Amino acid sequence: MSTIPRLFVKADLTLGAPIALTSEQANYLFRVLRLSKNDAVRVFNGRDGEWRASVTEVMRSAGFLCLEELIVPQAVIGDLQLLFAPLKKTCTDFVVEKATELGVTMIQPVITKRTQTSTVRVSRLEKIVEEAAEQTERLDIPLVQEPIQLLEALGKWDKNRRLVFCDEAGDDPTENWGGDVGRARPMMEAISELKDGLAAILIGPEGGFSPEERKYLRQQDYVIPVTLGPRILRAETAAVSALTLWQAARGDWRAS
Amino acid sequence: MSTIPRLFVKADLTLGAPIALTSEQANYLFRVLRLSKNDAVRVFNGRDGEWRASVTEVMRSAGFLCLEELIVPQAVIGDLQLLFAPLKKTCTDFVVEKATELGVTMIQPVITKRTQTSTVRVSRLEKIVEEAAEQTERLDIPLVQEPIQLLEALGKWDKNRRLVFCDEAGDDPTENWGGDVGRARPMMEAISELKDGLAAILIGPEGGFSPEERKYLRQQDYVIPVTLGPRILRAETAAVSALTLWQAARGDWRAS
């Protein structure tokens, strides 16, 4: 992998276009990495692919880059969304960072009955998402939405999008998996039979979903209830595991 | 799941045996949870299953429990080990906690050429492992080993144990996956053909393995080189993802 620094910018990217650096970006390139005029940088904006650029002007807390060549054309990433109940601050940050590494296209915080925290600073999460996208070499940026009620999200659901409902508790945790009255099926088994298409993963709060929420979810045609193994996972672990399984079985981790 | 508190203890567990609490455990039960005499507790020691117990004596920073009934017999967990290059402190803590949730039986820090940190406080990691095992409702405790050189670990390797080598960089990151000179195969594809049996996952440092390490690993019969998708994952994400895929395809996340 390239060692040339990689920046997310907001501007449109076209050949020869000058790109203005924010003070943060200038600080990172010129003070932290000690780049100077003519040094190489890579930039992407989530729409126009990844470009090779070079530094054309170094200022105290600003600067310019010039775009030289398109290196990686914009790829269409599989459309996978994450709905999750906000957690304590560091856990939410962690989920958002890992979801970006794991290729989600949209992150929707949802408020459920047992959600502990309903305040989510979207601007802060957008920053985490941008940094993680820079690091992980992806060319697009997941969209972070304002939190909404779970039922509101389901009310306007596109029924062509499967919703993988990580149902840690199940009807009865002492029952074996997979039965009608037992726990949901193991996720890998449940999703390996699906056709490719739009999908979303739903992760509940630490206390799980309420019985009413679970019942409602299980009545929707587009919902696929699944379990993630015999141990109780923390919510942030469940998010990483479920996204991993989707990408491996149905997403872009398969051989190209 | 039960709301009765669940403690890891070191003593052997047999009917009617009095269990002495450490000052930490007593503090947790009597000050944080405000338990008093005759209240119920669950205990496990990693060997003798999970027992229902009750408080028989409350002291200032000590106490006794009495074992009453075996609730869950000791289960044999699939034998899955994790070898990982130590990371920055919080990332190492994270890997160890998540590996416990994901059911590993042994955690071996390994020093590779590009490992940044070689100091690992095993006693600190043991504490994380115990707490995570309490939370995740597992009945055994992963063994945390002192760090050793990667080559030393491989020198004494049990060749019946497959070693899944998460080779993020690959021979040439610009090549497609799966070729002889290209990148390793996607992990799900590579492991779905295996028979069940002993396994370990190997996760390298942030900078990846050296060319010599990679070459040596690929020459061993028991090594299965794999990749984890088209994006660059941080080492701690790779650990969670690889353990998830193993448990889903070959481990105890399959329907029982």
Side-chain angles (χ1 to χ4, degrees), chain B residues 35-162:
Chain B
L35 260 53
S36 50
K37 198 171 167 177
N38 295 325
D39 280 344
V41 179
R42 294 176 296 156
V43 296
F44 68 108
N45 65 358
R47 307 181 300 277
D48 304 323
E50 180 174 306
W51 289 71
R52 184 164 52 78
S54 64
V55 175
T56 51
E57 200 154 347
V58 177
M59 286 175 277
R60 181 182 283 274
S61 52
F64 282 100
L65 306 176
C66 174
L67 294 180
E68 292 175 345
E69 188 193 358
L70 177 66
I71 326 172
V72 189
Q74 187 72 27
V76 179
I77 202 164
D79 188 339
L80 176 62
Q81 304 183 345
L82 175 68
L83 281 71
F84 81 105
L87 305 162
K88 275 173 297 179
K89 195 172 157 193
T90 53
C91 293
T92 289
D93 292 356
F94 173 83
V95 166
V96 165
E97 178 183 297
K98 297 312 171 204
T100 306
E101 290 179 52
L102 295 167
V104 307
T105 47
M106 196 265 270
I107 296 172
Q108 173 68 69
V110 289
I111 312 300
T112 68
K113 192 171 171 207
R114 296 182 188 153
T115 302
Q116 308 271 328
T117 326
S118 59
T119 50
V120 171
R121 271 184 54 208
V122 170
S123 60
R124 173 190 164 73
L125 299 185
E126 280 172 343
K127 225 169 144 44
I128 293 171
V129 152
E130 285 175 16
E131 283 171 10
E134 283 172 357
Q135 285 246 348
T136 203
E137 306 270 320
R138 65 183 277 183
L139 283 179
D140 65 327
I141 297 280
L143 186 66
V144 182
Q145 304 279 18
E146 290 288 343
I148 58 172
Q149 293 290 326
L150 172 64
L151 292 182
E152 195 184 334
L154 298 180
K156 59 179 184 183
W157 196 259
D158 167 7
K159 297 192 171 39
N160 294 315
R161 183 182 294 275
R162 271 81 50 95

Side-chain angles (χ1 to χ4, degrees), chain A residues 77 94 98 101-103 136-137 177 186 188 230-232 234 236-237 240-241 244 247 252-255, chain B residues 94 97-98 101-103 135-137 177 186 188 230-232 234 236-237 240-241 244 247 252-255:
Chain A
I77 202 165
F94 172 84
K98 297 313 172 203
E101 289 178 53
L102 295 166
T136 202
E137 306 269 321
W177 294 344
M188 198 67 212
R231 286 168 295 281
I232 311 291
R234 285 173 180 271
E236 72 271 15
T237 320
V240 175
S241 289
T244 294
Q247 293 295 30
D252 67 4
W253 287 25
R254 291 173 290 179
Chain B
F94 173 83
E97 178 183 297
K98 297 312 171 204
E101 290 179 52
L102 295 167
Q135 285 246 348
T136 203
E137 306 270 320
W177 294 342
M188 199 67 214
R231 286 169 295 280
I232 312 292
R234 284 174 181 270
E236 72 271 15
T237 319
V240 174
S241 289
T244 294
Q247 293 295 31
D252 66 5
W253 287 25
R254 291 173 290 179

Side-chain angles (χ1 to χ4, degrees), chain A residues 85-88 91 112 114-116 168 203-209 232-237, chain B residues 1 98 135:
Chain A
L87 305 162
K88 278 175 295 180
C91 294
T112 68
R114 296 181 188 154
T115 301
Q116 308 272 328
E168 286 296 280
I203 303 287
E206 288 291 350
F209 294 96
I232 311 291
L233 301 183
R234 285 173 180 271
E236 72 271 15
T237 320
Chain B
M1 96 199 77
K98 297 312 171 204
Q135 285 246 348

Side-chain angles (χ1 to χ4, degrees), chain A residues 216-230:
Chain A
Y216 183 81
L217 280 161
R218 283 181 168 245
Q219 281 170 349
Q220 311 307 313
D221 286 341
Y222 54 85
V223 168
I224 304 168
V226 302
T227 63
L228 295 168

